[in-house]
């Protein structure tokens, strides 16, 4: 980390951390709400974890920012994985590009190895990727390995299990913590499923596009 | 079959020609996804809001509560409060969806804030994107106003007291305050007209305005295309795009690649909000009880994103109020701290792209370490808002360090005025040598007072964006003094 970044980080942390410390104090928890089970059979307050039953706005503020930074971290990790997973590990490896040739080779090599005779360079790709003002700059085909099929199969099963548990909770005690647990599991499974599909079964494509059109 | 359906639509809407739109380039930058988080949380707000709207009653009329919360059974409660109890404790998904709505609202405001900070520090608001910065600022304002109007709807003791702060501020505006407060709050707060009015604003007027502005925001983004991080090298392809040529944008095609990334953002956002909604309560109305004009809650505070305004209200000295000479117009500290100061803050936010103006369009983002004075202003602004927010929690701070709020207020007032200036000055000092090329492109003296002669082009080119390297110039499109 550069000195400038560190100094600026300290200047902000000197205010941010006290603000969060004061904000997280909030207010004391209150008595648990008693639900008359003769009126309603559901138990929204039941759950496996004992957590505060009341949060002040300042506590909510601290939590939401920490959660947002956490989400951003996970997003960045997933995004980078998606954009690197299907690329060859060797940066000089071949990447089919739209001129029918290959990047990662010098001109002499290209001349010795003429491009595919097909006008699209030998790449099967959707028609909309290129246009008058847009062309491919990188195209790595999907690997489509058995490993990907296994991962996607497992994640699909996981998503189905979580959605079944969620539905089951709705039909029985409707406990909020379990709703949260199952919904989180379901959405994480679906996110991971998309990441896996992207990594193993989608070609990695980059395009260049003229701005002024 | 699918081909026939596609053909039917294609003949009517010329889909084949429009499909070229699907290939538009989206630069693969992690921080560019924050806007999508805001977009998806708004979608979640609308979906959960529709569910809540089926059951919520925006009325203060007393009804006999016959729900499952034992402590309120057979009591006369405001219909709004009773209906929120019903949603929370008697409908199977109710508590979860209500919490989803609340946490999504907080995520919406926070992600807009973080998105704006990213745009600010990376210089992505500059020509030609000033209009979209202004639209984004309006969206932030509307998001805050939407949250404020929603905060008061359950008509519980805590929220209705906090909402009353807004009424006092509106009422404090000289000359027109009385009329404005009556229009927005439906008379003296809380009146029977307040909730229906806020409900209308919360579920219709503001969301429609937000949707319209999101549409404008996206349309401008599509038309101008996204900014792009500095490139590390020339980009080969059908034509070679030089690394410092920002007349082209390099990125993932909108479909399928960027669409898949957006799907991941969508599911991860839902996962995080669901986790919070499952395990952490927001605004426990049953614990607060219904609005009671005869009492004052022990703790009064607005939502966190308005805490800085609350801080102004708390630390501004009363001697600053005055009466305009030869008139009976009184300018109160409430007006100064609740309207004038926030007005200045938002005014500067809207004006910022015109203060840091560039004549030439630029499409690359910038390393903040390369922009001494802009980054210094940003650091000063962020620390200013944070200290003002601490001031909004002065009573908690006073309890924590066991001193009186009067003493704390004086310290916080000085800190609010001095620390941002100090932080900004230090930031400028340590970055002053880094912005030479940026200053020269603007035709300004170099930040460190050095020579104004241009470096060779090769030294002005961009390098890897994400690094902290201050030598990484990322504004290659300029070249001429612009103003």
């Amino acid at each position: 980390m550069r000195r400038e970044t560190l100094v600026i980080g300290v200047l902000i942390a000197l205010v941010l951390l006290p603000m969060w410390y004061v904000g997280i104090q909030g207010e004391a928890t209150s008595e648990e709400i008693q639900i008359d089970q003769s009126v309603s059979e559901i138990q929204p307050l039941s759950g496996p974890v004992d957590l505060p039953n009341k949060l002040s706005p300042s506590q909510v503020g601290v939590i939401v920012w920490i959660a947002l930074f956490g989400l951003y971290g996970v997003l960045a990790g997933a995004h980078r994985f998606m954009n690197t997973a299907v690329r060859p590990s060797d940066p000089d490896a071949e990447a089919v590009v739209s001129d029918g040739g290959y990047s990662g080779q010098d001109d002499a090599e290209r001349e010795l190895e003429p491009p595919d005779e097909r006008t699209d360079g030998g790449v099967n790709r959707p028609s909309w990727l290129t246009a008058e003002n847009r062309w491919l700059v990188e195209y790595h085909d999907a690997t489509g390995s058995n490993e990907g099929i296994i991962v996607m199969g497992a994640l699909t099963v996981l998503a189905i299990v979580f959605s079944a548990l969620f539905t089951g909770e709705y039909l029985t005690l409707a406990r909020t913590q379990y709703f949260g647990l199952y919904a989180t599991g379901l959405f994480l499974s679906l996110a991971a499923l998309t990441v896996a599909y992207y990594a193993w079964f989608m070609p990695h494509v980059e395009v260049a596009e003229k701005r002024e059109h | 079959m699918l081909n026939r359906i596609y053909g039917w639509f294609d003949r009517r809407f010329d889909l084949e020609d429009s499909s070229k739109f699907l290939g538009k380039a989206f630069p693969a930058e992690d921080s560019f996804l924050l806007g999508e988080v805001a977009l998806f949380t708004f979608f979640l707000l609308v979906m959960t809001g529709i569910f809540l709207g089926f059951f919520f009653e925006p009325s203060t009329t007393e009804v006999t509560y016959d729900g499952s919360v034992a402590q309120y059974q057979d009591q006369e409660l405001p219909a709004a409060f009773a209906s929120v109890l019903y949603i929370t404790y008697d409908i199977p998904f109710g508590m979860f969806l209500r919490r989803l709505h609340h946490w999504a609202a907080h995520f919406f405001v926070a992600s807009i804030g973080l998105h704006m900070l990213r745009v600010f520090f990376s210089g992505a608001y500059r020509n030609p994107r000033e209009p979209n910065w202004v639209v984004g600022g309006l969206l932030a304002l509307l998001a805050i106003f939407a949250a404020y109007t929603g905060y008061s709807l359950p008509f519980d003791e805590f929220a209705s007291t906090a909402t009353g702060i807004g009424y006092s501020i509106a009422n404090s505006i000289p000359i027109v305050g009385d009329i404005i407060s009556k229009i927005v709050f439906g008379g003296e707060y809380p009146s029977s007209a307040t909730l229906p009015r806020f409900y209308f604003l919360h579920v219709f007027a503001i969301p429609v305005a937000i949707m319209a502005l999101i549409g404008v925001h996206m349309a401008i983004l599509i038309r101008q295309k996204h900014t792009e991080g500095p490139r590390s090298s020339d980009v080969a392809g059908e034509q070679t795009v030089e690394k410092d040529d920002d007349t082209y944008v390099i990125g993932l095609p909108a479909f399928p690649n960027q669409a898949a990334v957006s799907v991941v953002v969508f599911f991860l956002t839902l996962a995080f909000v669901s986790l919070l909604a499952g395990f952490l309560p927001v605004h426990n109305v049953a614990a607060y009880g219904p609005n009671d004009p005869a009492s004052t809650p022990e703790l009064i505070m607005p939502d966190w994103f308005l805490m800085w305004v609350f801080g102004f209200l708390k630390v501004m000295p009363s001697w600053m109020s005055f009466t305009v000479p030869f008139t009976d117009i009184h300018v109160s500290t409430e007006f100064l701290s609740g309207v004038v100061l926030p007005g200045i803050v938002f005014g500067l936010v809207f004006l910022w792209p015109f203060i840091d103006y560039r004549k030439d369009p630029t499409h690359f983002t910038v390393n903040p370490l390369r922009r001494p004075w802009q980054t210094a202003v940003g650091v000063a602004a962020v620390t200013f808002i944070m200290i003002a927010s601490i001031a909004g929690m002065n009573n908690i701070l006073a309890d924590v360090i066991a001193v009186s709020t009067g003493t704390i207020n004086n310290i916080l007032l000085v800190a609010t005025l001095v620390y941002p200036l100090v932080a900004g000055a230090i930031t400028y000092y340590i970055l002053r040598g880094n912005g030479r090329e940026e200053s020269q492109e603007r035709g300004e003296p170099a930040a460190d007072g050095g020579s104004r002669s241009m470096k060779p082009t090769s030294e002005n080119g961009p390098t890897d964006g994400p690094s902290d390297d201050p030598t990484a110039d990322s504004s290659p499109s300029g070249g001429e003094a612009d103003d």
Side-chain angles (χ1 to χ4, degrees):
Chain A
M1 183 183 287
R2 290 195 60 84
R3 183 179 62 92
E4 293 96 328
T5 311
L6 190 66
V7 172
I8 293 170
V10 168
L11 286 171
I12 293 174
L14 280 173
V15 185
L16 177 69
L17 295 180
M19 182 181 75
W20 278 1
Y21 180 74
V22 174
I24 206 68
Q25 303 300 317
E27 56 186 331
T29 56
S30 57
E31 282 184 23
E32 194 67 72
I33 302 300
Q34 299 300 317
I35 295 179
D36 183 350
Q37 297 295 325
S38 66
V39 177
S40 171
E41 291 180 356
I42 64 170
Q43 297 176 15
L45 293 170
S46 301
V49 188
D50 190 20
L51 288 164
N53 56 16
K54 199 166 67 169
L55 293 175
S56 71
S58 62
Q59 289 171 315
V60 168
V62 177
I63 292 166
V64 81
W65 275 96
I66 291 172
L68 185 59
F69 286 131
L71 170 62
Y72 178 69
V74 174
L75 273 178
H79 195 214
R80 288 176 189 191
F81 176 78
M82 292 165 78
N83 283 326
T84 55
V86 291
R87 295 186 192 217
S89 53
D90 177 4
D92 293 328
E94 291 180 357
V96 181
V97 293
S98 62
D99 62 354
Y102 300 87
S103 67
Q105 295 174 300
D106 60 30
D107 291 343
E109 283 179 295
R110 288 184 189 180
E111 283 173 16
L112 290 172
E113 200 174 311
D116 193 304
E117 289 180 0
R118 284 168 54 178
T119 54
D120 64 356
V123 178
N124 290 318
R125 59 176 190 243
S127 61
W128 62 75
L129 291 182
T130 55
E132 187 183 350
N133 294 294
R134 185 170 61 232
W135 61 89
L136 291 181
V137 294
E138 196 170 340
Y139 191 103
H140 292 292
D141 223 340
T143 55
S145 66
N146 290 336
E147 184 187 20
I149 293 173
I150 293 167
V151 170
M152 286 196 65
L155 288 167
T156 305
V157 170
L158 205 58
I160 292 169
V161 168
F162 277 122
S163 55
L165 287 169
F166 191 89
T167 310
E169 193 62 40
Y170 173 77
L171 296 171
T172 53
L173 298 176
R175 294 163 297 184
T176 304
Q177 285 192 8
Y178 284 99
F179 275 141
L181 196 64
Y182 301 148
T184 305
L186 172 63
F187 293 131
L188 283 178
S189 304
L190 291 172
L193 194 62
T194 313
V195 170
Y197 180 72
Y198 190 105
W200 278 290
F201 299 102
M202 273 175 66
H204 180 86
V205 188
E206 275 195 8
V207 293
E209 185 173 20
K210 192 166 175 56
R211 288 185 180 275
E212 304 300 328
H213 76 271
Chain B
M1 181 64 181
L2 282 175
N3 283 341
R4 286 182 62 188
I5 294 171
Y6 178 81
W8 191 90
F9 280 100
D10 187 30
R11 285 190 295 278
R12 283 154 184 81
F13 302 110
D14 197 13
L15 298 181
E16 195 61 36
D17 193 47
S18 306
S19 69
K20 290 292 178 191
F21 179 81
L22 297 174
K24 289 187 87 65
F26 282 79
E29 299 268 343
D30 303 333
S31 63
F32 290 1
L33 302 176
L34 286 166
E36 292 191 24
V37 173
L39 182 68
F40 295 140
T41 47
F42 179 70
F43 172 78
L44 188 58
L45 279 168
V46 172
M47 292 295 108
T48 51
I50 289 171
F51 170 85
L52 296 174
F54 288 148
F55 302 99
F56 178 69
E57 289 183 44
S59 167
T60 55
T61 306
E62 298 279 308
V63 296
T64 305
Y65 178 70
D66 58 358
S68 62
V69 180
Q71 72 189 87
Y72 295 115
Q73 283 178 338
D74 300 323
Q75 285 189 32
E76 294 293 309
L77 299 173
F81 184 82
S83 66
V84 174
L85 286 182
Y86 182 67
I87 291 169
T88 311
Y89 297 99
D90 293 285
I91 297 173
F93 276 130
M95 180 181 280
F96 181 63
L97 287 178
R98 184 168 162 257
R99 286 183 182 183
L100 266 184
H101 191 75
H102 272 255
W103 282 111
H106 292 293
F107 253 77
F108 185 49
V109 177
S111 56
I112 288 177
L114 198 56
H115 178 53
M116 288 186 78
L117 286 174
R118 196 280 297 171
V119 170
F120 178 91
F121 282 106
S122 64
Y125 53 80
R126 296 174 300 172
N127 181 5
R129 292 179 176 78
E130 308 96 323
N132 233 9
W133 170 265
V134 173
V135 171
L138 288 172
L139 277 167
L141 263 180
L142 283 172
I144 289 172
F145 200 40
Y148 175 76
T149 50
Y151 191 48
S152 63
L153 291 182
F155 208 56
D156 61 287
E157 174 65 352
F158 189 99
S160 56
T161 307
T163 308
I165 300 166
Y167 173 76
S168 300
I169 291 171
N171 209 26
S172 72
I173 301 172
I175 303 173
V176 295
D178 188 45
I179 296 170
I180 288 177
S181 58
K182 278 179 181 161
I183 291 171
V184 177
F185 293 85
E188 192 168 335
Y189 179 83
S191 77
S192 59
T194 305
L195 281 193
R197 206 155 291 199
F198 271 34
Y199 186 63
F200 168 75
L201 291 171
H202 184 73
V203 304
F204 181 74
I206 300 172
V208 166
I210 289 176
M211 276 188 252
L213 284 178
I214 287 175
V216 172
H217 201 64
M218 301 304 289
I220 294 173
L221 173 72
I222 290 167
R223 182 67 191 91
Q224 294 182 332
K225 298 182 180 60
H226 219 294
T227 50
E228 185 185 348
R231 300 176 194 131
S232 56
S233 60
D234 292 351
V235 180
E238 190 178 308
Q239 299 171 41
T240 296
V241 180
E242 293 180 6
K243 70 175 185 179
D244 56 355
D245 183 356
D246 72 353
T247 59
Y248 295 89
V249 58
I250 313 289
L252 306 177
F255 192 86
N257 295 68
Q258 181 59 34
V261 172
S262 298
V263 169
V264 173
V265 177
F266 177 70
F267 285 132
L268 284 178
T269 303
L270 257 57
F272 268 72
V273 180
S274 298
L275 189 66
L276 291 174
F279 289 90
L280 292 172
V282 179
H283 207 79
N284 187 344
V285 292
Y288 293 128
N291 172 250
D292 180 4
S295 76
T296 305
E298 195 177 326
L299 183 69
I300 302 173
M301 59 169 60
D303 262 328
W304 59 269
F305 43 81
L306 288 171
M307 202 69 80
W308 56 283
V309 179
F310 199 45
F312 294 158
L313 285 165
K314 285 190 168 183
V315 299
M316 183 167 281
S318 56
W319 56 260
M320 291 191 74
S321 66
F322 62 95
T323 301
V324 178
F326 311 112
T327 69
D328 59 353
I329 299 171
H330 183 66
V331 177
S332 65
T333 51
E334 268 184 328
F335 171 65
L336 292 172
S337 52
V339 179
V340 174
L341 272 178
I344 291 171
V345 169
F346 273 104
L348 286 173
V349 168
F350 287 122
L351 284 175
W352 180 252
F354 308 100
I355 296 170
D356 180 25
Y357 180 71
R358 292 177 64 97
K359 184 179 172 186
D360 297 319
T362 183
H363 302 289
F364 282 118
T365 55
V366 195
N367 183 338
L369 300 180
R370 301 282 310 157
R371 307 192 329 134
W373 74 271
Q374 295 94 334
T375 300
V377 169
V379 169
V382 166
T383 52
F384 176 71
I385 294 297
M386 285 181 186
I387 298 174
S389 297
I390 296 174
M393 302 179 283
N394 63 347
N395 47 346
I396 301 174
L397 179 61
D399 282 345
V400 169
I401 59 175
V403 294
S404 70
T405 50
T407 308
I408 283 291
N409 281 355
N410 290 331
I411 296 169
L412 287 169
L413 179 61
V414 173
T416 307
L417 297 172
V418 174
Y419 187 84
L421 294 176
V422 171
I426 292 173
T427 303
Y428 181 77
Y429 180 78
I430 59 167
L431 299 181
R432 71 196 187 285
N434 297 345
R436 182 175 295 166
E437 292 83 7
E438 175 88 359
S439 298
Q440 287 164 343
E441 284 174 14
R442 295 169 52 84
E444 295 171 351
D448 61 354
S451 166
R452 290 181 55 163
S453 64
M454 293 292 285
K455 283 187 172 182
T457 307
S458 61
E459 292 183 28
N460 282 339
T463 57
D464 290 326
S467 81
D468 288 332
D469 182 2
T471 62
D473 184 9
S474 45
S475 305
S477 65
E480 292 182 13
D482 47 310
D483 48 10

